Structure formats: C-alpha cells, structure tokens
Amino acid sequence: MTSQGIAAAMQRVEAILKRRPETALHDDAPAIARWQSGTRVVSSHGNGTRLLTDMPTELGGSGDQVTPGWLVRAGLASCLATRIAMSAAAAGFELTTLEVSARSRSDARGIFGMPGASGAPVGAGPCDVQVSVRIAAPGVSPEQLRTLIEESDRRSPVSAALRDLVPITLCIDVDGD
C-alpha cells in the first residue's frame, strides 16, 4: 500500500473510533504454540501462518530455527518499524530508509532458576533491550524524524507491552483433570 493509502486508511479508522470509541477494544488474534518434539515448537496464526522455533544446540535444540526470544525482538523491531511507517505516511513524509534493530542481553542462569550474586534467582528475561532506528526522508529535518520515532515508540503496541509490563494471566488445563 502507498503512503497515501496508509494515511487514508488511518484517517478512516480514526474517524470511526472518534464516533464509536467502544469499537476500539477488541480481542487480538491468538498465537497457538504446539510442542513438536525436543525443544521444537510450531506457533500458528488463524490465517494459516506458521513459525517454527527451537533452542540452540547448547540447550538441547537443533539450533536450526530462531528462538522464542528472537521472536520477541523481531516483534519489537517490526512493530516499531510498522508504527514509524504509519506515522510517516500520516505526516506526508516519504521514507527512503527505515531499519529497526532490537538487541538484548540475557543471563542464561535465569532459565535454570539459578541464583545470582545476591542469592536471588536470576530473571529469565533479558537484562536489557536496545532498539536502534536508521531512517531517512528527503526534506524532513532530523529533529522532525526524531520526534516521529519517539511518538511512534510510545504508540507501538509491542513496545508498550514490554515497557509497561502488561499483566499476564496464566490459565492451566491439565488433561485428565
């Protein structure tokens, strides 16, 4: 879709939401993950898309697929890139370059429940996350692009989910119960 098409679609949705704000709240498409064998898992979307994950060989996996942690970083990077493209289209900016990179550092002791120096268990998630954006739009000042990126980051659903620590409810269904 062209930038003008994206901007027009956003304007239509925003107009509807202003008239009927109750339509804004909706259930997101579920991600269903099914264990295949070992540490290999296939996740699927209702539209038929399937993603395979596995762990590195050091952790008993085949090492030939991406890890679930990488999918989190990919989701973070792609969601922000999408939100930046949407914001640029709405502002009438023609992007010539947009690349978002999400990196993190993790302490492998966390997935084993091992303690850190303080004696408390090390967290299983990343220790820190860095997101880098490379962008270019002819005729748009660096300050305008920085503002666009910062506003897009605040409006990116995946960035918000990670930054705002959305509560997670764990529901358990044990076969045979």
Side-chain angles (χ1 to χ4, degrees):
M1 185 177 283
T2 66
S3 292
Q4 294 85 2
I6 294 168
M10 291 174 59
Q11 289 169 352
R12 283 191 302 274
V13 172
E14 189 173 0
I16 291 168
L17 296 178
K18 284 180 180 175
R19 285 193 315 273
R20 300 184 51 218
E22 70 279 3
T23 63
L25 188 60
H26 64 281
D27 291 332
D28 298 318
I32 308 296
R34 288 192 174 84
W35 171 74
Q36 285 191 327
S37 65
T39 58
R40 190 177 288 275
V41 173
V42 64
S43 298
S44 58
H45 185 281
N47 69 6
T49 300
R50 296 167 41 102
L51 297 169
L52 201 57
T53 61
D54 204 346
M55 296 303 285
T57 55
E58 300 84 14
L59 294 173
S62 65
D64 67 348
Q65 301 296 323
V66 298
T67 65
W70 182 87
L71 287 179
V72 172
R73 293 185 298 281
L76 176 62
S78 64
C79 189
L80 181 54
T82 301
R83 191 62 192 94
I84 291 168
M86 292 169 68
S87 294
F93 300 165
E94 289 295 328
L95 297 176
T96 56
T97 301
L98 177 57
E99 180 179 289
V100 179
S101 170
R103 293 178 167 79
S104 63
R105 288 176 357 122
S106 298
D107 187 329
R109 294 176 296 175
I111 64 173
F112 296 105
M114 296 172 67
S118 69
V122 172
C127 304
D128 55 57
V129 177
Q130 310 85 39
V131 178
S132 301
V133 178
R134 192 167 66 91
I135 191 168
V140 182
S141 75
E143 186 55 41
Q144 287 175 299
L145 290 174
R146 281 187 185 85
T147 299
L148 179 115
I149 292 165
E150 289 167 353
E151 288 175 359
S152 296
D153 182 53
R154 284 191 293 277
R155 296 175 183 173
S156 167
V158 176
S159 292
L162 295 173
R163 180 181 50 249
D164 301 341
L165 300 177
V166 175
I168 298 174
T169 302
L170 178 62
C171 303
I172 302 172
D173 179 13
V174 177
D175 285 351
D177 271 359

